[in-house]
Amino acid sequence: MVSLQLDHVFKQYGEKTAVNNISLQVEQGEIYGLLGANGAGKTTTMRMVLGLIYPDGGEIRYHGKPYSNELTRVMGYLPEERGLYPKIKVSEQIVYLARLRGMSKQDADKSLRYWLDRFEVPEYYDKRIEELSKGNQQKMGFIAAVVHRPQILILDEAFSGLDPVNVELLKATVKELRDNGTSILFSTHRMEHVEELCRRITILHRSNTVVQGDIKEIKSRYPREEVVLHTVGEVERLESIPGVKSVERNERGYQIKIGTPDTAQLILQHAMAQTAVERFEIKEPTLNQIFIQEVGESNE
Amino acid sequence: MSNNLGTIIGFTFKNKVKTKSFLITTLVLAILITIGMNVPYFIKQFSGGDDGPDRIGLLTGSGQAVASELEKYAAASGNKDYTFVKYEGNAEEPLKQDVKDGKLEGYLKFEEDPADSSFPKVVYAGEGGMGQGLSTYLQGALQNVKTAMIAKDALTAEQIAALNKPVSLDSLDLSEEAKANAGGDTEKERNQKIMNYVTVYFLMILFFSSNMMTGNMIAAEVTAEKSSRIMEILITSVKPLNQMFGKIIGIFLVGLVQIAVFGVVVVANLMLPNNVGMLQEFHLSLTDLNISVLLYGLAFYIVGYFLFAVLYAAVGSIVSRTEELGQAVMPITMLGLAAFYIGIFSISSPGTMLIKVTSFIPFTAPTAMLVRIGMGTVPTWQILISLALLVVSIIVFGWLSAKIYRTGVLMYGKRPSFKELRKAMKAYKI
């Protein structure tokens, strides 16, 4: 079932096109990745989905219907700049936000306590936001986005600024939400999170869609051009194998760039003829590599 | 959706009242009011009303006759604040010495006046000039003495008293149909007029100050929500119109609480033993309070508040950072000031064209119409038209402000131009 559908959505700010004809579908229980460098149009796209700004062209449908005020109850949003009142207690403001989205006070309070326990920080209930660290403020922002059990969840750079432990915690939570049927639109410029969480992605570059589709399928479209070889002894004359572009030695073995897939087999035979092979892998391109190739710019 | 409004009002109110800045401001103002109300009493205490009357020396010299008459007058008038002490002769030094020693408040010396041979020129000498009270007293005393000396025995004491009695000049407003009966106001009516004056004055100050204070609070809250980006979450949760009015009403209640606190402080201070006499002194009594003036005043106060509040909210939404806010709210502050001063300056002349016109302009009506109701006469239908105009303009400006609000809160960076605002406003529903 399609929860969220963007159809040739277009947005212009003055002369500048912010989002150019983006189309995508998020299904129920799916985490959809929206990728791109800073200023590529991710946040603008999300704001249009939220109804914060209106598209200049195209259409956005939620469960098949256009935007309406009732949607505020089923949507959750974590903005990139966390959006919470610094001087107000966690409990007060999150319960307030949940009530604005149609929850009862008791229900909201119960849900908040559940989430605080889930993140193992029940003591934050009575703390003011400004007393918390950046990472913990972000967790509170996340709770504010999910406290009313939204069906459609918009996460803008949800993991930025978190330490590895909290990234894992949040990742696990996001997966759990997905498994419970929440549709999640997830933006980031960190590729490693996407490969773990998302099935389908859209890469935006300067307002345009440059790559779109299933991650596995996207990867299969790009040739496998890298071989990892770990061996017991030395392997001589790897460079002389036809099709090998470059060889890089590291502590464990070799990283070899190749031109055609057939070359990989030649490398394996060549190595086995000389010594015992511990590891041999024809690596599929990482999203990061694809991204750099497509966007033609370095990405952090 | 409709119960959202209540949620927002409650949240705004609760959190504003709890802030340290609000508690401190309220406390400081309450203390200032208390000090201000007791200052007259303390001044009286310290100015030494208890250690007998101020002694004024008289250097008789060439003004022997005048000095004697002054003493006579002082004895006859029964004034307890000042007393005259005669110093015979022409030597000024002893008087100077006595002033220095604090035995005398000051002294009078009499000099020949070349322009007027009938009465000498009087000079007061003392440390640090003459106070208002002393000046008035001496002026009156010398005038009496002069009259008595010139009239000598040609007039009887009654005739002289009659001469010195000030002329009474009352004004009678002919447009006051009901009071056209000649003979002027009765005592009761005069007192009511004074009470009306006090009521109008008080309501205007209340309107102005609470408008400025709460208005700035509203604008600052909106800007803070915008800069902390919580606005993005709020806008996706609640209709901007509800959000804006929830905030405005919430802060209005905060303002009312503050006014109530001040009211209690004022009443408590009035009940202090040293202040009890003050009201009687001014012949003020709450029974003279004109209920209709008060009710109209409150009605205009409330609608006026909302009209200004929606504008403050709109301005708050356009600005991205709190630092820029002061400059941005300037035009509204000016408008508020204009309304206040038109009211204050017209309070004694409530029939001018200026006040008639401004009493129908929504922004100035809350004060201008109040002056006309309290101090002049105005047909009821004009009051109702003015109120209706205010309500209509609240709806119009409320709608417009909600549009600006919806648009402004998503515009960051530089302040948007009118053109940009207009273009963006077309896009949003409220």
Side-chain angles (χ1 to χ4, degrees):
Chain A
M1 200 179 110
V2 178
S3 295
L4 181 65
Q5 182 171 17
L6 279 74
D7 193 13
H8 297 285
V9 171
F10 180 80
K11 181 72 192 176
Q12 227 172 0
Y13 287 130
E15 294 295 294
K16 192 180 161 284
T17 303
V19 173
N20 191 10
N21 278 324
I22 187 173
S23 298
L24 61 86
Q25 286 188 357
V26 185
E27 284 178 18
Q28 192 179 353
E30 177 183 4
I31 304 174
Y32 195 101
L34 201 54
L35 283 69
N38 301 323
K42 294 177 304 225
T43 301
T44 304
T45 305
M46 294 189 145
R47 285 184 173 174
M48 285 192 283
V49 169
L50 286 159
L52 273 173
I53 50 178
Y54 296 133
D56 293 329
E59 207 182 7
I60 304 175
R61 295 188 154 262
Y62 311 80
H63 299 122
K65 285 184 242 131
Y67 185 84
S68 66
N69 278 323
E70 277 65 45
L71 280 168
T72 62
R73 288 161 186 251
V74 300
M75 284 211 281
Y77 176 41
L78 173 65
E80 189 175 355
E81 296 97 346
R82 306 310 157 208
L84 287 171
Y85 294 101
K87 294 191 186 300
I88 294 176
K89 273 187 203 165
V90 167
S91 55
E92 275 175 28
Q93 58 182 310
I94 291 184
V95 168
Y96 171 62
L97 292 172
R99 286 180 71 194
L100 290 184
R101 292 189 188 268
M103 253 187 158
S104 78
K105 199 173 175 178
Q106 293 75 11
D107 212 8
D109 192 67
K110 228 169 87 186
S111 180
L112 168 65
R113 284 185 191 278
Y114 163 80
W115 280 106
L116 287 174
D117 285 340
R118 178 84 170 68
F119 286 147
E120 292 163 4
V121 285
E123 68 273 18
Y124 290 176
Y125 185 85
D126 275 326
K127 284 240 163 69
R128 289 196 307 269
I129 285 291
E130 60 184 0
E131 296 175 75
L132 305 180
S133 70
K134 269 260 154 60
N136 283 323
Q137 289 185 12
Q138 196 163 337
K139 276 196 234 166
M140 297 306 116
F142 184 83
I143 293 178
V146 297
V147 69
H148 59 293
R149 293 184 276 273
Q151 293 164 25
I152 300 172
L153 181 59
I154 317 285
L155 301 176
D156 200 353
E157 301 284 356
F159 300 150
S160 68
L162 285 179
D163 62 57
V165 177
N166 280 317
V167 167
E168 286 312 312
L169 186 64
L170 226 55
K171 263 189 201 167
T173 314
V174 169
K175 282 184 197 161
E176 188 186 296
L177 285 168
R178 173 196 65 192
D179 295 339
N180 290 336
T182 311
S183 310
I184 300 167
L185 185 60
F186 174 89
S187 94
T188 184
H189 56 264
R190 308 279 297 194
M191 302 301 151
E192 62 270 23
H193 301 148
V194 178
E195 290 196 56
E196 190 183 335
L197 292 171
C198 306
R199 189 163 62 80
R200 293 186 298 171
I201 56 162
T202 292
I203 298 181
L204 292 176
H205 179 55
R206 294 198 179 136
S207 333
N208 291 302
T209 306
V210 287
V211 177
Q212 187 169 54
D214 194 297
I215 291 183
K216 270 194 205 126
E217 194 204 322
I218 291 170
K219 284 188 170 179
S220 71
R221 270 190 261 150
Y222 290 83
R224 300 180 164 206
E225 290 174 328
E226 197 176 309
V227 171
V228 174
L229 178 67
H230 293 174
T231 53
V232 176
E234 298 275 308
V235 183
E236 308 277 323
R237 296 186 316 282
L238 274 171
E239 298 86 347
S240 64
I241 301 168
V244 169
K245 281 180 172 167
S246 70
V247 178
E248 204 180 302
R249 251 211 99 149
N250 54 36
E251 291 99 74
R252 309 279 308 275
Y254 307 88
Q255 211 153 353
I256 306 156
K257 289 253 192 290
I258 55 174
T260 55
D262 304 338
T263 315
Q265 303 308 319
L266 294 176
I267 292 171
L268 181 59
Q269 284 162 20
H270 182 84
M272 280 165 68
Q274 294 182 33
T275 178
V277 173
E278 286 182 324
R279 183 174 170 209
F280 177 78
E281 186 187 353
I282 310 170
K283 283 192 82 171
E284 61 179 6
T286 62
L287 269 182
N288 211 17
Q289 287 165 331
I290 294 173
F291 184 89
I292 291 168
Q293 189 177 334
E294 286 303 324
V295 170
E297 284 170 12
S298 71
N299 185 55
E300 36 171 2
Chain B
M1 275 295 193
S2 57
N3 59 347
N4 267 345
L5 194 62
T7 312
I8 298 168
I9 295 171
F11 183 79
T12 309
F13 177 78
K14 221 170 96 193
N15 284 300
K16 195 75 214 171
V17 168
K18 279 199 303 194
T19 54
K20 276 203 193 85
S21 59
F22 175 78
L23 292 177
I24 291 171
T25 330
T26 311
L27 190 69
V28 167
L29 285 174
I31 291 172
L32 284 179
I33 290 174
T34 310
I35 293 173
M37 288 186 69
N38 288 296
V39 156
Y41 172 72
F42 284 119
I43 286 178
K44 236 185 188 168
Q45 289 290 305
F46 287 121
S47 63
D50 291 338
D51 55 347
D54 286 342
R55 292 152 59 87
I56 312 289
L58 297 173
L59 180 60
T60 51
S62 58
Q64 186 69 43
V66 179
S68 305
E69 285 292 328
L70 260 180
E71 276 197 308
K72 242 194 267 173
Y73 170 81
S77 73
N79 186 303
K80 297 267 194 314
D81 292 339
Y82 305 105
T83 178
F84 293 111
V85 185
K86 259 208 268 189
Y87 285 65
E88 300 293 341
N90 274 323
E92 211 173 329
E93 281 314 312
L95 287 127
K96 278 188 180 162
Q97 192 55 47
D98 283 355
V99 169
K100 225 178 195 170
D101 297 344
K103 288 184 193 155
L104 285 181
E105 179 74 14
Y107 59 89
L108 295 179
K109 55 183 178 178
F110 306 99
E111 292 165 359
E112 291 294 331
D113 190 344
D116 184 0
S117 57
S118 64
F119 200 76
K121 203 168 129 192
V122 184
V123 178
Y124 174 85
E127 281 185 338
M130 199 168 16
Q132 181 71 38
L134 179 59
S135 165
T136 313
Y137 175 68
L138 286 179
Q139 193 83 44
L142 287 165
Q143 194 65 48
N144 269 293
V145 169
K146 186 179 179 185
T147 313
M149 283 174 71
I150 292 172
K152 295 247 171 51
D153 298 326
L155 296 174
T156 63
E158 290 79 41
Q159 282 171 319
I160 290 174
L163 261 181
N164 284 326
K165 197 179 166 230
V167 175
S168 97
L169 174 63
D170 274 352
S171 95
L172 177 65
D173 190 348
L174 283 179
S175 63
E176 281 181 74
E177 302 92 341
K179 289 187 185 163
N181 50 353
D185 298 341
T186 63
E187 176 79 18
K188 172 91 180 147
E189 282 169 324
R190 237 196 321 276
N191 284 344
Q192 267 181 352
K193 257 194 173 161
I194 296 170
M195 198 65 199
N196 275 357
Y197 181 90
V198 172
T199 314
V200 168
Y201 212 99
F202 174 75
L203 281 174
M204 279 199 290
I205 290 174
L206 185 69
F207 175 74
F208 177 71
S209 53
S210 67
N211 225 347
M212 290 296 117
M213 237 174 337
T214 52
N216 278 305
M217 250 191 244
I218 290 169
E221 285 262 304
V222 173
T223 307
E225 281 180 353
K226 182 181 171 181
S227 64
S228 72
R229 310 281 164 132
I230 190 146
M231 193 57 93
E232 298 188 11
I233 294 176
L234 292 178
I235 289 271
T236 56
S237 309
V238 196
K239 279 196 238 159
L241 201 65
N242 282 3
Q243 203 182 325
M244 197 177 83
F245 273 101
K247 183 149 291 287
I248 288 173
I249 295 171
I251 294 201
F252 179 60
L253 295 179
V254 173
L256 285 187
V257 165
Q258 205 168 28
I259 290 168
V261 170
F262 296 155
V264 168
V265 170
V266 168
V267 170
N269 272 301
L270 282 179
M271 301 216 313
L272 287 178
N274 57 9
N275 284 330
V276 157
M278 215 160 75
L279 277 181
Q280 277 106 343
E281 232 171 87
F282 291 111
H283 304 290
L284 288 180
S285 138
L286 284 180
T287 52
D288 291 332
L289 190 67
N290 189 334
I291 296 297
S292 75
V293 171
L294 190 67
L295 288 182
Y296 275 131
L298 289 178
F300 274 100
Y301 169 74
I302 292 170
V303 285
Y305 166 83
F306 277 99
L307 181 58
F308 275 90
V310 294
L311 295 185
Y312 274 109
V315 168
S317 72
I318 297 173
V319 175
S320 299
R321 289 179 304 146
T322 325
E323 300 91 86
E324 298 168 358
L325 195 59
Q327 194 196 351
V329 296
M330 258 315 218
I332 311 177
T333 311
M334 289 295 173
L335 212 52
L337 271 173
F340 180 64
Y341 280 118
I342 287 173
I344 291 290
F345 288 141
S346 304
I347 200 162
S348 51
S349 54
T352 59
M353 188 48 95
L354 173 73
I355 197 106
K356 278 184 182 152
V357 171
T358 50
S359 67
F360 290 103
I361 298 172
F363 296 104
T364 49
T367 52
M369 194 45 109
L370 182 63
V371 168
R372 291 185 67 194
I373 296 170
M375 303 310 295
T377 43
V378 55
T380 311
W381 64 269
Q382 287 196 3
I383 302 176
L384 295 180
I385 283 184
S386 176
L387 263 179
L389 281 175
L390 260 165
V391 171
V392 169
S393 53
I394 289 173
I395 294 168
V396 171
F397 281 99
W399 176 84
L400 190 70
S401 292
K403 274 249 176 201
I404 294 175
Y405 186 87
R406 175 69 176 85
T407 313
V409 291
L410 290 174
M411 289 186 156
Y412 298 106
K414 74 172 179 69
R415 228 186 293 163
S417 69
F418 277 108
K419 211 177 123 200
E420 285 171 304
L421 259 182
R422 209 187 57 223
K423 204 179 148 220
M425 272 162 61
K426 279 188 192 154
Y428 298 115
K429 287 191 259 336
I430 52 166

